[in-house]
Amino acid sequence: MKNQTLNTIAKRFFLGNLVAALLILSANATTVNNKSWDIDPTGKKADVKFVGSASENLFFNVKYTNETGANFKVFVLDENGETLFQERYNTKNFDKKFMFPGNPDVNKLTFLIQSDKGLFKEIFDVKVITRVVAEVSVKKG
């Protein structure tokens, strides 16, 4: 009887910890500057940084120095090339934070910053790797 109760408690403890560990996901993202066409190649104009993750969401910060104040577009594409976000801006010092759901099926995001006249275009590829962490500890008391 005592052995059976101990086995039941150990199984519940193990399954509870396993479920809790599966819910804890960590997402790592790296940005790679893919291509750049710039009329002023000496200065860095655009930057995309992974800020972090919380509550299964991914946070990015996009900065773009638009010296002339001309119109430009910001696109965010998924791995299939489908547009997740598209907006036109004309601010000189663009600084915007983006939040995307950390879906385990999302492996890649692409940030594209492009001037309306095509004089500036920069692409940032973001690879998203989701890992499941499981920590299990069983002790005999």
Side-chain angles (χ1 to χ4, degrees), residues 26-76:
S26 66
N28 295 329
T30 57
T31 58
V32 177
N33 187 349
N34 195 11
K35 298 177 185 174
S36 178
W37 297 274
D38 193 350
I39 51 176
D40 181 18
T42 60
K44 184 178 182 182
K45 291 190 169 202
D47 193 26
V48 175
K49 289 188 180 178
F50 175 66
V51 179
S53 63
S55 301
E56 298 184 12
N57 291 320
L58 304 174
F59 297 94
F60 297 92
N61 190 26
V62 178
K63 291 184 179 183
Y64 173 53
T65 303
N66 183 15
E67 296 159 355
T68 62
N71 289 334
F72 65 95
K73 291 181 184 177
V74 176
F75 297 90
V76 181

Side-chain angles (χ1 to χ4, degrees), residues 42-127:
T42 60
K44 184 178 182 182
K45 291 190 169 202
D47 193 26
V48 175
K49 289 188 180 178
F50 175 66
V51 179
S53 63
S55 301
E56 298 184 12
N57 291 320
L58 304 174
F59 297 94
F60 297 92
N61 190 26
V62 178
K63 291 184 179 183
Y64 173 53
T65 303
N66 183 15
E67 296 159 355
T68 62
N71 289 334
F72 65 95
K73 291 181 184 177
V74 176
F75 297 90
V76 181
L77 311 169
D78 66 4
E79 63 251 16
N80 299 321
E82 295 182 30
T83 303
L84 301 174
F85 177 84
Q86 174 184 347
E87 193 66 42
R88 176 177 280 148
Y89 300 97
N90 63 0
T91 58
K92 288 191 174 187
N93 291 315
F94 178 77
D95 188 356
K96 183 170 176 66
K97 292 183 177 33
F98 290 87
M99 178 187 76
F100 295 101
N103 186 345
D105 296 334
V106 175
N107 297 320
K108 180 183 169 190
L109 293 172
T110 301
F111 288 83
L112 169 64
I113 302 168
Q114 179 177 353
S115 65
D116 276 354
K117 295 182 181 180
L119 297 175
F120 178 84
K121 179 178 181 181
E122 198 150 0
I123 300 169
F124 294 87
D125 289 328
V126 178
K127 295 179 183 179

Side-chain angles (χ1 to χ4, degrees), residues 13-24 132-138:
F13 179 76
F14 176 76
L15 290 175
N17 281 342
L18 185 61
V19 169
L22 289 176
L23 294 177
I24 298 171
V132 177
V133 178
E135 292 185 31
V136 178
S137 175
V138 177

